[in-house]
Amino acid sequence: MATDRDYYEILGVSKTASERELKSAYRKQALQWHPDKNKSPEAEKKFKEINEAYEVLSNPQKKQAYDQFGHSAFTQGGQPGAGPFGGFGGFPGGGTQTYRQGPFTYTYTTSGNGTPFEGIDFSDPFEIFEQFFGVASPFGRQTRMSHFSLPIDLIEAYKGVEKTVSVGGHRHKIKIPPGVDDGSRIRFSNFFVTIDVRPHKIFQRNGDDIVVNAQIPLMLAISGGTVEIPTLDGTTKIRVRAGTQPGTTLRLSGQGMPRLQRRERGDFYIRLHIDIPKYSNLTPEQKRAFEEMRKKTT
């Protein structure tokens, strides 16, 4: 038993919760606290509590025993009395019973006149999670394998890279495909690698798209012209139209991140910011020119 906390409190449901409400509560909590997703120190403990609570409350027999005797129904020396198997005399002389509820199969074994749940070992929480979500489980049973974090740069994620990692005294080469995103997982042999893409000081990633902020001189925004812009492949020249306004965004179609397993790329966005000089930093000639412009536009 992983917890002494109230099972209803753990799932956040009432004692009269329907099967549908239990499933909904379990789905939400299990996805939130799965250790493969939630990196907080208490995630594994909470995940086990959530699965233990659902294993009991989703089973009518276990739920009835829990409602009547609490946690003692599942511990050695639990209180005897009327219970889910026609009196908490359980299986006279001992025995085993298998019960199926939804996607779960439970087997209870007892000896003598004890409760059929006495001393029961709760199921593996990751097996419960896997059975609930089926083959399409978003996390599967990855926590049973060694799990490592591999940091890479955004440019490495863009171009793809081969890294060498040491696991258990053995060196392994990990090929990271172009377009890999932060949090992506790669299975290699008997361990998993989670990719940690470090933030870039210039480029911002939004899915498969890349955004860069570019400062352009005031006169260039007014009169138009060309300016060099940093991209994932180096620098490129773009044309700025005369009269460009602050916050104007240009799109370079198909110049963003590669899309995994597809021959496509996201887009590259250039957000233009106009560098307006301080009046005190202008030369006398510049001040006179701006004064003339102001008079003509007012």
Side-chain angles (χ1 to χ4, degrees), residues 260-278:
L260 288 173
Q261 301 179 346
R262 295 166 63 183
R263 295 182 180 180
E264 299 176 0
R265 290 167 60 178
D267 298 328
F268 189 91
Y269 292 90
I270 305 165
R271 190 180 295 123
L272 299 178
H273 299 272
I274 299 175
D275 186 9
I276 301 176
K278 292 183 179 180

Side-chain angles (χ1 to χ4, degrees), residues 245-288:
Q245 300 298 305
T248 296
T249 300
L250 307 179
R251 183 181 71 168
L252 302 182
S253 181
Q255 298 300 308
M257 296 292 292
R259 293 185 173 132
L260 288 173
Q261 301 179 346
R262 295 166 63 183
R263 295 182 180 180
E264 299 176 0
R265 290 167 60 178
D267 298 328
F268 189 91
Y269 292 90
I270 305 165
R271 190 180 295 123
L272 299 178
H273 299 272
I274 299 175
D275 186 9
I276 301 176
K278 292 183 179 180
Y279 188 78
S280 59
N281 293 337
L282 298 176
T283 64
E285 292 77 10
Q286 290 172 328
K287 290 179 180 180
R288 284 194 293 270

Side-chain angles (χ1 to χ4, degrees), residues 59 65 83-84 109 113-114 116 121 143 204 227 232 254 266 271 286:
N59 180 312
T109 302
N113 293 322
D121 290 325
T143 53
Q204 301 170 31
V227 63
L232 296 169
R271 190 180 295 123
Q286 290 172 328

Side-chain angles (χ1 to χ4, degrees), residues 184-199:
S184 297
R185 292 165 183 263
I186 298 175
R187 180 170 181 169
F188 185 88
S189 183
N190 62 341
F191 63 91
F192 282 92
V193 172
T194 297
I195 304 302
D196 177 16
V197 182
R198 290 185 286 253

Side-chain angles (χ1 to χ4, degrees), residues 170-233:
H170 300 282
R171 296 173 69 82
H172 303 272
K173 288 185 177 180
I174 306 294
K175 289 186 177 180
I176 301 172
V180 69
D181 204 350
D182 184 57
S184 297
R185 292 165 183 263
I186 298 175
R187 180 170 181 169
F188 185 88
S189 183
N190 62 341
F191 63 91
F192 282 92
V193 172
T194 297
I195 304 302
D196 177 16
V197 182
R198 290 185 286 253
H200 197 277
K201 63 180 181 180
I202 297 177
F203 304 117
Q204 301 170 31
R205 182 173 182 173
N206 182 15
D208 295 324
D209 298 330
I210 296 294
V211 179
V212 65
N213 292 304
Q215 294 284 133
I216 63 173
L218 175 61
M219 293 310 298
L220 179 64
I222 294 174
S223 61
T226 59
V227 63
E228 282 195 346
I229 298 295
T231 71
L232 296 169
D233 293 308

